[in-house]
Amino acid sequence: MKLTKSLMLGSAAMFACAGVQAADLPVKAKPIEYVKICSLYGAGFYYIPGTDTCIKLSGYLRAQVELGGNGIAVAPDSGVAAAHNRLSNYYTGRARQGLYFDTRTATEYGVVRTFAQVLFTWTTGGYSGAGSTAANGATTYTSSLGGQIGGGSLTLYDAFVQFAGFTFGRAASQFSSPWAEYPANWHELAGSGGWDRVNQITYTADFGQGITAAFSAQDQVAEYQSNIWNVTGATAAGLATGAYGSNNIGGSRAPDFVAMVRVDQAWGLFQASVAAHDNHAGYYGASEMTGHPSDKWGWAGQLALSIKNLPTGAGDTVNIQGVYAKGASRYTFNDFLSTTYAMYGSSGLAGVNQSIGIGGLSDAVFVAGSGQELTTTYGFNGGFTHNWDPHWASAIFGSWAAVRYNNTATNYMCGAVVTNLALSSGAAGCNPNFNYANVGVYTGWTPVKGLTFSAEVLYTMLDQKYASGSTVTLPLQAGIAKPGAAYELKDQNALVLLLSVQRNF
């Protein structure tokens, strides 16, 4: 018994010691995958752990306030902003966070790239009139200001894939220059293709030495459509805002076709681009039985030039571009700009309430039973940027653009104006053509890398073409608190100041 008991105790002790030793042995840890720098595509790229794909995360945070307008970086040329009364904002603020996601993978077919730009934005809103009668004063919050959302919003700008020379998705139009409507400025300018992104399929050929050519089919809805006016549907209320008819665009039929050639070298950049645009209208009346005008193709052409290494200083740049379009007006007036203009000011005429400048932008106009009459637009913009030192920079910039209607379109539109607004000078004094111009200055201070404080002043001019001294009788416009009264048709102007701070990372 003693022997058996000793063997059992000895065995238990042996197993216990073995258990303790096993518990004390170190466990082999899983290998740690450290984030590795990817130097193939420039600074800021890292390998996604476990893959051969490189990614770069970057972005900016921007805070802005515009004094004298109801939007950010847009002139007060329509709506309550241009009414210049108690409903107009003295200031509008915005905070925005932008994030960029750039991935690249080397393959046997070349680099596969994806790129996305996402914006989180908060913009101050405003108030518009909501009274139902002249004696019932009321306002309501307006959430759409200058094309941006009043309040918080999530916006997707870029979202594209690039492979073997092709680009698929939402990206900058190949028609636009790299600086688009911003030759040296923050504010929106007419006279060129726009910065806004558009869905597209593009092939880009690279010939070396900075010479490229691109061919693109891009979505025209809605960034590259302005108005197709059915003038038969014109109303006094619409004409008072610059709308010469009911907007009557049909469903999409064809994309816009774009071709571009660019030379981008150390001295600067030259680009030539053309676009074709299909104008597809809806029906003359409320049903498909009323018929419709036939489609008409419009077109646009643009030349752009950038000159670097100027003798005025290191980093100084001149950017300039000009555009001509017929039946494709958004290639002259980008989609951040309004298509209807109604700016108010003072008047020296007796018996009128105020003065007003009216302008309307369209791709084409028609009346019931007629074909489409294409609208001609043309213009230019440019800017010069001078760097005083590594921390201070200033710029001067400007733009000018024209809207011209042919005789047939003018007769349609003026018939509506004379009938609905009692134009004092009659058809002889009616001219819906107008010019739109801006001039401004910018100064920026960069105390540390990636952080810039800036101020920009913009002066805007609306040059309407109605006969001097003409008046119109407008209906009550409760939304902007303008009474039904006589108004002098007169050129108008506006001045705004934009203050910004931006941190890039």
Side-chain angles (χ1 to χ4, degrees):
M1 285 293 295
K2 289 183 178 180
L3 178 60
T4 302
K5 184 177 181 180
S6 297
L7 289 172
M8 292 176 65
L9 291 174
S11 298
M14 179 181 69
F15 284 115
C17 291
V20 170
Q21 291 173 354
D24 290 342
L25 289 175
V27 178
K28 185 177 181 180
K30 294 181 179 181
I32 300 175
E33 295 187 14
Y34 294 97
V35 177
K36 297 188 297 182
I37 294 175
C38 174
S39 59
L40 298 175
Y41 311 109
F45 282 90
Y46 295 86
Y47 283 101
I48 298 175
T51 75
D52 57 356
T53 297
C54 299
I55 186 170
K56 179 178 181 179
L57 304 178
S58 58
Y60 66 87
L61 195 150
R62 180 190 303 155
Q64 295 177 297
V65 60
E66 178 124 306
L67 306 180
N70 280 59
I72 297 293
V74 290
D77 50 30
S78 61
V80 292
H84 301 304
N85 58 20
R86 292 184 64 84
L87 300 187
S88 307
N89 283 359
Y90 278 9
Y91 72 91
T92 298
R94 172 180 296 164
R96 169 173 287 175
Q97 172 72 74
L99 296 175
Y100 306 113
F101 303 87
D102 192 347
T103 72
R104 310 194 191 186
T105 306
T107 74
E108 60 269 32
Y109 297 99
V111 175
V112 176
R113 183 192 183 198
T114 68
F115 184 84
Q117 180 182 179
V118 179
L119 303 180
F120 302 88
T121 305
W122 178 275
T123 304
T124 303
Y127 289 87
S128 59
S132 57
T133 67
N136 177 24
T139 61
T140 184
Y141 181 75
T142 304
S143 61
S144 179
L145 299 170
Q148 300 295 331
I149 300 299
S153 68
L154 172 63
T155 306
L156 178 67
Y157 274 170
D158 296 276
F160 60 80
V161 177
Q162 289 180 321
F163 174 71
F166 287 92
T167 298
F168 307 92
R170 186 171 172 82
S173 171
Q174 301 303 311
F175 185 88
S176 299
S177 66
W179 61 89
E181 69 266 38
Y182 310 114
N185 55 287
W186 281 107
H187 281 90
E188 300 296 330
L189 300 180
S192 70
W195 180 90
D196 203 5
R197 277 33 183 169
V198 59
N199 288 332
Q200 62 188 270
I201 299 175
T202 298
Y203 179 74
T204 302
D206 190 339
F207 302 103
Q209 297 183 335
I211 303 173
T212 57
F215 305 91
S216 179
Q218 69 178 35
D219 190 2
Q220 63 168 241
V221 183
E223 286 85 354
Y224 285 89
Q225 295 172 324
S226 60
N227 294 295
I228 297 178
W229 275 324
N230 181 352
V231 182
T232 305
T235 64
L239 289 165
T241 68
Y244 285 89
S246 53
N247 195 14
N248 198 342
I249 300 175
S252 61
R253 287 296 183 270
D256 284 8
F257 297 102
V258 177
M260 178 272 290
V261 176
R262 179 182 296 169
V263 178
D264 189 355
Q265 298 175 341
W267 61 266
L269 177 147
F270 172 78
Q271 177 178 315
S273 48
V274 294
H277 173 84
D278 178 37
N279 291 290
H280 177 74
Y283 295 100
Y284 291 128
S287 82
E288 60 189 27
M289 299 299 292
T290 59
H292 59 81
S294 299
D295 286 19
K296 266 195 175 182
W297 281 84
W299 63 276
Q302 177 177 272
L303 297 176
L305 177 67
S306 178
I307 303 176
K308 305 175 183 178
N309 303 317
L310 298 173
T312 52
D316 289 7
T317 305
V318 168
N319 295 324
I320 190 170
Q321 56 200 330
V323 63
Y324 186 97
K326 186 170 184 177
S329 297
R330 277 307 192 191
Y331 289 94
T332 305
F333 288 77
N334 72 80
D335 75 297
F336 287 124
L337 296 171
S338 180
T339 61
T340 55
Y341 301 87
M343 300 175 67
Y344 290 83
S346 60
S347 174
L349 289 183
V352 301
N353 183 59
Q354 280 183 300
S355 66
I356 183 174
I358 296 175
L361 178 71
S362 68
D363 292 324
V365 301
F366 67 91
V367 295
S370 79
Q372 297 187 68
E373 301 296 328
L374 300 183
T375 305
T376 298
T377 60
Y378 48 89
F380 68 91
N381 63 50
F384 166 62
T385 300
H386 173 63
N387 294 277
W388 301 100
D389 59 37
H391 303 287
W392 286 92
S394 296
I396 183 171
F397 58 89
S399 68
W400 179 90
V403 177
R404 297 292 183 264
Y405 294 95
N406 65 26
N407 290 336
T408 302
T410 297
N411 289 335
Y412 294 159
M413 299 162 78
C414 287
V417 172
V418 172
T419 300
N420 289 279
L421 299 185
L423 179 65
S424 64
S425 56
C430 179
N431 187 343
N433 298 335
F434 70 97
N435 302 329
Y436 186 84
N438 307 100
V439 63
V441 292
Y442 162 94
T443 293
W445 174 51
T446 305
V448 296
K449 183 179 179 180
L451 177 65
T452 300
F453 298 85
S454 65
E456 181 171 295
V457 175
L458 180 77
Y459 181 70
T460 300
M461 295 155 283
L462 178 64
D463 175 20
Q464 56 89 45
K465 299 299 181 182
Y466 284 87
S468 177
S470 296
T471 65
V472 287
T473 302
L474 303 184
L476 168 67
Q477 299 174 81
I480 59 174
K482 292 297 181 183
Y487 292 81
E488 178 190 5
L489 289 166
K490 183 181 176 182
D491 297 348
Q492 302 293 331
N493 55 72
L495 183 69
V496 292
L497 169 64
L498 178 63
L499 303 175
S500 307
V501 56
Q502 178 165 320
R503 165 65 165 146
N504 299 324
F505 57 88

